[in-house]
Amino acid sequence: AKLPILEFPDERLRTKAAPVETVDDEVRKLVDDMLETMYDARGIGLAATQIDVHRRVVVMDVSDDNSQPLVLINPRYTPIGDEKEPLSEGCLSIPDYYAEVPRFLKVQLNALDRNGDAYELEAEGLLAHCIQHEYDHLEGVLFVDYLSPLKRNRILKKMQKRHKQIQDA
Ligand SMILES: O=C(O)C[C@@H](Cc1ccccc1)C(=O)SCC(=O)c1ccccc1
Ligand SMILES: [Zn+2]
């Protein structure tokens, strides 16, 4: 099922997600709902935090034909080297805003897949960027937190206006 995505500055986005104890059918249903929600929203990643489920589950698909879904349960990453590069990021919880966020160039990802089996992979470029962006969501961190207070307030004002229009509509 398609699930509603929380939008900044909703405080629930600041919740720290809890580790998944057992990868059971309930977790697999959550993963399937998250993939459906992500593809429908034209995203390349989605963290459970964004659909108000505070468990450490992330889905991603950086392929251009939505053919490579990746499931990250209890993900951890380790930077490879300390080089960072800025990349323009979007966020499904901050629609229509993009900002350059410096992230590690290369990371090693460790996570459980949808069967609860552990895997690891080395990621760089957009995939590495997305892993760091989604991991932040599980920690209650949004990309606006890396911007200057001036820029962050400008986005906050615009989002509050947008939410007011939706209320008044
Ligand atoms: O809010 C999310 O977690 C999804 C977010 C993931 C992400 C995109 C770009 C860089 C890092 C993380 C999105 O998918 S936003 C969608 C979008 O604007 C976009 C899609 C492909 C490349 C760049 C941006
Ligand atoms: Zn995001």
Side-chain angles (χ1 to χ4, degrees):
K2 279 202 272 305
L3 302 166
I5 296 176
L6 298 177
E7 291 193 350
F8 175 73
D10 192 314
E11 275 307 304
R12 290 170 290 181
L13 285 167
R14 299 306 187 171
T15 311
K16 194 165 157 48
V20 170
E21 301 304 333
T22 321
V23 181
D24 53 19
D25 289 347
E26 187 200 342
V27 171
R28 277 183 280 275
K29 167 91 172 65
L30 169 64
V31 163
D32 292 339
D33 287 348
M34 287 176 65
L35 280 165
E36 186 182 344
T37 303
M38 178 188 76
Y39 288 131
D40 174 69
R42 305 268 180 287
I44 58 170
L46 186 71
T49 310
Q50 295 178 274
I51 49 154
D52 202 17
V53 171
H54 303 292
R55 307 179 79 180
R56 301 183 84 82
V57 178
V58 165
V59 295
M60 291 167 50
D61 188 336
V62 294
S63 70
D64 44 18
D65 58 353
N66 291 348
S67 62
Q68 275 142 43
L70 205 52
V71 174
L72 296 74
I73 297 169
N74 298 340
R76 287 189 353 275
Y77 73 85
T78 315
I80 298 171
D82 48 10
E83 251 187 294
K84 290 192 171 186
E85 67 159 2
L87 184 89
S88 172
E89 294 194 6
C91 183
L92 296 176
S93 295
I94 310 176
D96 310 330
Y97 288 100
Y98 298 86
E100 298 259 312
V101 178
R103 303 270 191 190
F104 288 109
L105 254 171
K106 267 176 98 170
V107 298
Q108 169 164 321
L109 168 73
N110 287 77
L112 303 181
D113 64 17
R114 62 181 299 124
N115 303 315
D117 297 323
Y119 70 91
E120 69 179 53
L121 65 86
E122 199 167 286
E124 53 189 323
L126 184 57
L127 184 60
H129 238 92
C130 196
I131 289 167
Q132 295 169 78
H133 177 110
E134 302 308 335
Y135 186 88
D136 272 355
H137 273 305
L138 300 180
E139 297 295 300
V141 172
L142 297 169
F143 81 69
V144 291
D145 302 342
Y146 297 101
L147 306 182
S148 67
L150 190 80
K151 274 198 194 137
R152 183 164 52 249
N153 282 333
R154 201 175 302 148
I155 294 174
L156 179 64
K157 290 279 160 294
K158 294 249 180 79
M159 290 300 288
Q160 284 168 334
K161 205 161 134 254
R162 171 195 172 102
H163 292 146
K164 189 162 170 355
Q165 276 157 355
I166 293 170
Q167 258 166 4
D168 298 351

